[in-house]
Amino acid sequence: MAALRSGPGATGPRRSGLPAAATLLTVLLTCCVRCSAQTDKPSNIIFILADDQDVHLGGMTPMKKTKALIGEAGATFVNAFTVTPLCCPSRSSILTGQYPHNHEVRNNSLSGNCSSIQWQKGPESTAFPVYLNKQKYQTFFAGKYLNQYGKKDEGEVGHVPPGWDQWHALVGNSQYYNYTLSVNGKEEKHADSYEQDYFTDLITNRSLHFLDDRSPQHPFFMMLSPPAPHSPWTAAPQYQKEFSDVKAPRGGSFDKPGKDKHWLLRQPVSPMPKTSLTFLDNAYRKRWQTLLSVDDMVELLVKKLESIKELDNTYIIYTSDNGYHTGQFSLPIDKRQLYEFDIRVPLMVRGPGIKPNQTLQPLVLNIDLAPTILDISGVNLTTLNVDGQSFLSQMAPTLRNGTARPFFLVEYTGEGHEKADPDCPKLGPGLSQCFPDCVCEDAYNNTYACVRTLDKEHDLQYCEFADSESFVEVYNLTSDPHQLENILKSVDPAVLQAMNQRLIKLQSCQGNSCRDVK
């Protein structure tokens, strides 16, 4: 465990004052959710957001402590999804509770609006931390924020998003060593000492420091965003020999040709060459190794909460920004695709009113995280401009009534380079994320929108591509859970028409209309 750093991580004094209440009835109703049975203080919230952690391919397997301390102590959602399978737009959806077509962050680039000035002046100014701050929550952030955060001409490290009292944010994309932080708006550089710099442990240590220094008179919210299991997959020294015999799972769509799929999926060689297999197995193993430090983080946080007598009054939420693939449809490693392995994410929650050992089936989306967090804090959700909905009723029905949605949207805008990759000139321009053996994981024409249906009667996915082929993919996941067969040509035309109409509505939805699609 890296040593605790003093100075920049210290928590400043809190302002005084009690939460405003319009009427006594409002206070009492709000406290049913905000306050636990043991105290009149509003409930605390810890939100842990992993980076690129799949659930479909065993990504939670190494996290035994996390599953025991959060999942078994509360609720595990087995149908949790991201609405866009890429870091920056997904994290923007988490912060705002909005689909990408509303917050307008399309991909990880500045041109895709990732942490741009437009984002800062618009959606970021009304993200959920702003409301928590108004509720007198002490707010703390540590970890990766958005991929382009802190870059030149976009505010650099001096930009601290509104709503945060303590800010320890990574400049740029995930790293484990040799990175720069913005610590409350000031630059802090780190090198390659495990004890001082290993990023996951630094996040853990500063969060524990925050808990020691917080004001006990006010609730707290912590968002912890470790780099694991994102590349470059640098495990802590004590974990670098773990899982030596582990390989990426070989079942389902592993190394299957992308038959009847969009152009990008028809490019990889199948079966994959040995070099790609070796590469992806190594990546899979190292990803698991990095997660062991996150597992330690969860254990240490729970122990700290117990020691300060706050565990019973704290919600702990664990999830990831998107899923991941390692060899599916002969794609070596990445995310960005519309398939289950990239859009399903882990989601576990424990806290006041949540019974232990629950396995819950209702659909939950990453755009639901913001309204759920604000619901817990006592914010009136009818005043918010969000596309998602609180799922508090799903895991704590004694606290809230609610309904599950039957449909949702998945949307993504592909990235490409104007010039051909010099290592793969035959592929031509318009592609990006090219890995060994000239397999590229993204392209301009990897731009799509899907409507996903998941209820007792239907488990379907309908996707349209914005490419020269106007390609369409349709899957019945009840009979084909690995999405091997595109059933476009055999499905009932009436079903296609209904799915197309739902997709059109969802692509232009905003707020209530996103939740009311029939």
Side-chain angles (χ1 to χ4, degrees):
M1 179 61 63
L4 179 65
R5 298 177 65 89
S6 60
T11 304
R14 286 292 303 173
R15 53 196 179 280
S16 60
L18 296 173
T23 65
L24 177 61
L25 178 61
T26 301
V27 172
L28 292 173
L29 289 174
T30 298
C31 200
C32 290
V33 176
R34 295 186 71 196
C35 310
S36 75
Q38 289 76 29
T39 177
D40 290 335
K41 190 178 71 173
S43 296
N44 311 304
I45 309 165
I46 298 178
F47 176 38
I48 304 171
L49 180 64
D51 196 357
D52 283 3
Q53 186 175 11
D54 73 277
V55 68
H56 199 65
L57 302 175
M60 285 300 299
T61 301
M63 305 197 69
K64 296 179 181 179
K65 300 171 186 176
T66 300
K67 289 187 289 185
L69 294 171
I70 303 179
E72 293 174 18
T76 299
F77 288 87
V78 294
N79 288 309
F81 294 84
T82 179
V83 299
T84 183
L86 187 63
C87 305
C88 197
S90 176
R91 288 164 181 258
S92 302
S93 286
I94 289 168
L95 289 163
T96 61
Q98 296 177 343
Y99 281 114
H101 68 263
N102 286 326
H103 61 62
E104 298 185 323
V105 178
R106 294 297 187 174
N107 50 48
N108 285 345
S109 65
L110 279 175
S111 61
N113 209 25
C114 179
S115 199
S116 66
I117 297 297
Q118 179 183 342
W119 155 262
Q120 294 170 20
K121 291 182 177 180
E124 187 179 65
S125 66
T126 56
F128 75 78
V130 174
Y131 294 92
L132 290 174
N133 199 262
K134 291 178 180 178
Q135 295 289 95
K136 308 301 182 184
Y137 270 74
Q138 302 164 88
T139 56
F140 173 90
F141 180 89
K144 172 182 171 179
Y145 182 57
L146 301 173
N147 295 57
Q148 298 294 334
Y149 171 75
K151 298 296 182 68
K152 187 177 180 180
D153 300 326
E154 305 300 328
E156 301 189 16
V157 297
H159 172 66
V160 177
W164 297 106
D165 297 320
Q166 290 292 316
W167 180 251
H168 304 255
L170 179 69
V171 174
N173 205 359
S174 282
Q175 296 290 333
Y176 298 82
Y177 295 109
N178 299 304
Y179 54 86
T180 300
L181 295 180
S182 168
V183 178
N184 299 324
K186 295 183 179 180
E187 183 179 81
E188 182 179 290
K189 289 187 175 292
H190 286 264
D192 56 2
S193 164
Y194 170 69
E195 291 76 12
Q196 298 295 320
D197 303 310
Y198 189 68
F199 193 34
T200 302
D201 288 358
L202 182 142
I203 294 168
T204 302
N205 290 329
R206 294 197 179 182
S207 67
L208 299 176
H209 193 172
F210 170 79
L211 290 173
D212 282 333
D213 291 349
R214 82 201 187 289
S215 166
Q217 280 73 45
H218 295 280
F220 60 81
F221 172 80
M222 303 170 66
M223 182 171 175
L224 310 179
S225 185
H230 196 285
S231 62
W233 316 304
T234 309
Q238 67 270 29
Y239 295 134
Q240 290 179 1
K241 294 183 180 179
E242 297 294 323
F243 312 119
S244 58
D245 296 329
V246 168
K247 292 184 177 181
R250 286 337 199 227
S253 59
F254 183 85
D255 209 9
K256 300 289 185 182
K259 181 182 178 183
D260 296 327
K261 289 178 167 52
H262 63 284
W263 179 85
L264 190 66
L265 269 288
R266 301 196 299 267
Q267 304 312 305
V269 175
S270 185
M272 288 182 285
K274 186 177 179 179
T275 51
S276 288
L277 292 171
T278 300
F279 176 79
L280 68 88
D281 280 334
N282 187 50
Y284 189 90
R285 181 172 58 255
K286 287 184 174 181
R287 282 166 55 81
W288 277 22
Q289 292 170 351
T290 66
L291 285 168
L292 293 176
S293 293
V294 183
D295 212 29
D296 291 340
M297 171 191 291
V298 172
E299 180 185 39
L300 288 168
L301 283 168
V302 170
K303 286 182 177 179
K304 172 61 75 174
L305 292 171
E306 284 182 313
S307 72
I308 61 176
K309 296 180 171 52
E310 291 285 3
L311 182 60
D312 292 339
N313 191 36
T314 302
Y315 288 88
I316 306 177
I317 304 169
Y318 185 94
T319 190
S320 174
D321 50 5
N322 46 257
Y324 206 72
H325 57 259
T326 48
Q328 285 59 49
F329 297 119
S330 300
L331 295 170
I333 58 162
D334 201 39
K335 50 268 185 181
R336 294 178 169 85
Q337 303 303 323
L338 58 92
Y339 309 104
E340 295 288 278
F341 40 76
D342 283 0
I343 64 174
R344 283 187 178 266
V345 293
L347 177 60
M348 298 177 293
V349 189
R350 68 173 289 170
I354 303 175
K355 294 181 179 179
N357 288 304
Q358 295 186 76
T359 301
L360 301 180
Q361 300 292 330
L363 265 175
V364 175
L365 307 179
N366 64 340
I367 57 172
D368 299 336
L369 290 162
T372 301
I373 290 167
L374 294 178
D375 193 6
I376 292 169
S377 77
V379 171
N380 181 353
L381 299 185
T382 63
T383 65
L384 304 178
N385 179 24
V386 294
D387 303 331
Q389 62 191 38
S390 172
F391 58 87
L392 185 60
S393 63
Q394 306 296 340
M395 56 188 175
T398 60
L399 301 181
R400 279 284 188 269
N401 295 320
T403 57
R405 63 166 65 75
F407 315 112
F408 68 94
L409 174 69
V410 179
E411 53 187 344
Y412 177 66
T413 301
E415 293 181 74
H417 299 304
E418 293 183 3
K419 296 182 179 180
D421 188 315
D423 294 327
C424 308
K426 293 182 180 179
L427 295 177
L431 294 103
S432 65
Q433 308 300 315
C434 297
F435 285 97
D437 304 302
C438 291
V439 176
C440 299
E441 299 272 2
D442 205 6
Y444 287 133
N445 67 5
N446 187 39
T447 297
Y448 57 82
C450 307
V451 59
R452 182 77 161 79
T453 300
L454 184 58
D455 56 31
K456 294 180 179 179
E457 297 180 0
H458 302 99
D459 192 353
L460 299 172
Q461 187 175 28
Y462 172 92
C463 302
E464 295 181 357
F465 282 80
D467 60 12
S468 60
E469 299 176 316
S470 298
F471 206 81
V472 177
E473 295 186 28
V474 186
Y475 299 99
N476 181 346
L477 285 97
T478 302
S479 59
D480 180 23
H482 301 295
Q483 298 163 290
L484 299 174
E485 181 183 2
N486 182 359
I487 60 172
L488 172 66
K489 296 179 181 179
S490 60
V491 73
D492 185 341
V495 173
L496 290 178
Q497 177 68 14
M499 297 292 274
N500 170 263
Q501 291 303 305
R502 288 180 190 133
L503 181 59
I504 291 172
K505 292 177 181 178
L506 282 168
Q507 284 184 281
S508 59
C509 76
Q510 185 175 13
N512 287 336
S513 64
C514 297
R515 303 185 289 273
D516 297 336
V517 174
K518 304 297 183 182

